[in-house]
Amino acid sequence: MASLLEGQARPIRLADIAKAAGVSHGTASNVFSRPEIVRAEVRERVKAVAEQMGYAGPDPKGRLLRAGKVNAIGVATTEPLSYFFDDPFARVMMAGISEACDATGAGIALVSAANQEKLAWNIQSALVDGFILFCIEGGSRLVDLTRERRLPFVALELGFQDETVSAIGVDNVAGARLAAHHLAELGHRRFAVLSLAFADNRTGFATPEIVRGALYTGTRDRLAGYFEELSRFGVDTAKIPVYETENEVKSTRAGLEAIFAEGEPPTAILAMSDRMALIAIDWLKARGLSVPGDVSIVGFDGVPDGALCTPPLTTIAQPITEIGRRAARMILDHDGAVRRETMGVELIARGSTGPARKG
């Protein structure tokens, strides 16, 4: 045995174990992959040789790659890894993806990076059969990198103009119109919008030029839906402040500070995500403003957290869990076809909206 180990310059292979144990390569392989068909004494001898030579077993990556399928889905975002656990929308989406994977015994790999170099490496090295892309900030880069892998992928956003990209999402225009109609029917005429990103790496008030040049047309569509409906009620949408955020605490609070520092404050806020809406409720209450007495708020998503806050959040609910399930099935059952699905939304009226205050 010592002579085999001495001067060993390359990694120990299964063939080395078979030779040292005096068995065929097939028998050695069965010891690790199908031990029940190998006689106990032979099995123990091969394992003892493997342990002495420092061999832990065949590389599972090699076996899976030879089979042409690893039975795992990569879920990718340019956000930090904590996004999957901190963001209420992401948590619900992951529940749907997990449900579909559990049904088939497939695994999930979370692919994330805070900079483009690490993202490229993580996408290229992920051992998966395909990707589900959280197309928020940096979504176009995700699509480009994933194309290079030549694996199936689906974007959780219908905003990409490229019809060759499989995508699943909701009718953003219709959902936004429902939100705006609800508030206008309650008598509100002074509005503000807390917006998702129109493009990468930017926050602040969005000009018409920024909106027209939006990289993320899902955001643009929600704003278009708000404005189309409010125009029907005679609201001058050119006067509505639209603050572009990164859908997190810091930029959302900055947006609220900026909005309420300008002239006559809004009586209603249209938030493009429930996360922003929940942040806004806390911000307003901390400043002695009543929700909905002073300001009504409508979110967009329908995450469970919205029903538990005080007051409960009025929102445009999208079938997040079902979207996750369908996205996973698109990868697990991939047949080469490009599929683009639009899911319906509904208004859930709760305690965060009420009649506009007088005066």
Side-chain angles (χ1 to χ4, degrees):
M1 184 68 65
S3 62
L4 286 171
L5 292 173
E6 289 173 358
Q8 185 74 46
R10 59 173 173 77
I12 301 294
R13 297 180 302 183
L14 185 62
D16 300 321
I17 304 303
K19 182 177 180 180
V23 299
S24 69
H25 187 281
T27 297
S29 176
N30 285 336
V31 168
F32 293 98
S33 61
R34 303 168 64 196
E36 69 280 0
I37 69 171
V38 181
R39 294 199 317 273
E41 63 271 22
V42 174
R43 187 168 65 239
E44 293 306 316
R45 183 169 78 250
V46 171
K47 285 186 175 181
V49 169
E51 183 175 354
Q52 291 176 39
M53 296 179 70
Y55 180 73
D59 184 351
K61 294 192 294 294
R63 183 172 65 252
L64 291 169
L65 290 172
R66 286 191 295 274
K69 189 175 178 65
V70 299
N71 201 32
I73 292 175
V75 185
T77 179
T78 55
E79 295 293 301
L81 193 61
S82 59
Y83 167 76
F84 291 111
F85 307 95
D86 293 341
D87 187 88
F89 176 87
R91 291 199 301 268
V92 179
M93 185 70 73
M94 288 304 301
I97 294 170
S98 299
E99 184 178 315
C101 289
D102 284 343
T104 62
I108 296 174
L110 300 181
V111 181
S112 167
N115 63 63
Q116 295 299 316
E117 291 75 21
K118 288 183 179 178
L119 178 64
W121 166 254
N122 290 346
I123 291 286
Q124 289 298 326
S125 61
L127 195 64
V128 296
D129 297 313
F131 291 94
I132 296 173
L133 308 181
F134 274 74
C135 288
I136 41 180
E137 187 170 334
S140 58
R141 176 65 170 155
L142 275 178
V143 170
D144 292 341
L145 288 171
T146 308
R147 282 190 195 278
E148 295 175 9
R149 279 295 304 271
R150 300 184 181 277
L151 290 174
F153 67 92
V154 56
L156 297 180
E157 170 62 70
L158 291 170
F160 287 95
Q161 301 296 332
D162 189 344
E163 294 293 322
T164 68
V165 174
S166 290
I168 183 167
V170 298
D171 189 333
N172 286 299
V173 173
R177 293 189 70 157
L178 284 173
H181 182 88
H182 173 68
L183 289 170
E185 282 278 286
L186 289 169
H188 293 278
R189 294 298 181 268
R190 298 202 309 273
F191 294 85
V193 176
L194 289 172
S195 174
L196 295 171
F198 289 100
D200 295 337
N201 303 315
R202 184 177 60 213
T203 63
F205 285 113
T207 64
E209 292 73 26
I210 287 175
V211 174
R212 284 194 295 270
L215 173 62
Y216 297 113
T217 55
T219 305
R220 188 179 67 198
D221 287 347
R222 289 188 189 182
L223 187 63
Y226 293 150
F227 282 8
E228 286 173 10
E229 192 64 23
L230 293 178
S231 294
R232 294 181 60 248
F233 285 85
V235 176
D236 183 357
T237 58
K239 295 181 179 179
I240 297 176
V242 178
Y243 196 96
E244 186 177 8
T245 79
E246 293 182 333
N247 194 31
E248 42 67 69
V249 174
K250 182 179 179 181
S251 60
T252 301
R253 287 177 177 170
L256 290 162
E257 294 280 0
I259 288 167
F260 280 83
E262 289 201 340
E264 201 169 23
T267 65
I269 294 175
L270 290 155
M272 289 193 190
S273 79
D274 283 354
R275 189 179 193 186
M276 283 188 284
L278 295 171
I279 294 167
I281 289 175
D282 289 342
W283 186 90
L284 290 165
K285 289 181 357 183
R287 281 152 184 78
L289 294 171
S290 169
V291 179
D294 295 311
V295 184
S296 286
I297 301 178
V298 178
F300 201 118
D301 283 334
V303 301
D305 308 51
L308 303 176
C309 72
T310 303
L313 179 65
T314 295
T315 188
I316 302 302
Q318 50 180 317
I320 308 172
T321 305
E322 181 60 21
I323 290 173
R325 281 194 291 260
R326 292 194 184 196
R329 295 301 331 168
M330 283 185 183
I331 302 301
L332 295 169
D333 301 332
H334 182 66
D335 58 5
V338 173
R339 291 184 168 80
R340 296 176 69 86
E341 295 187 25
T342 303
M343 308 285 287
V345 295
E346 64 174 327
L347 170 73
I348 299 179
R350 299 193 183 109
S352 69
T353 52
R357 68 178 185 271
K358 302 297 182 182

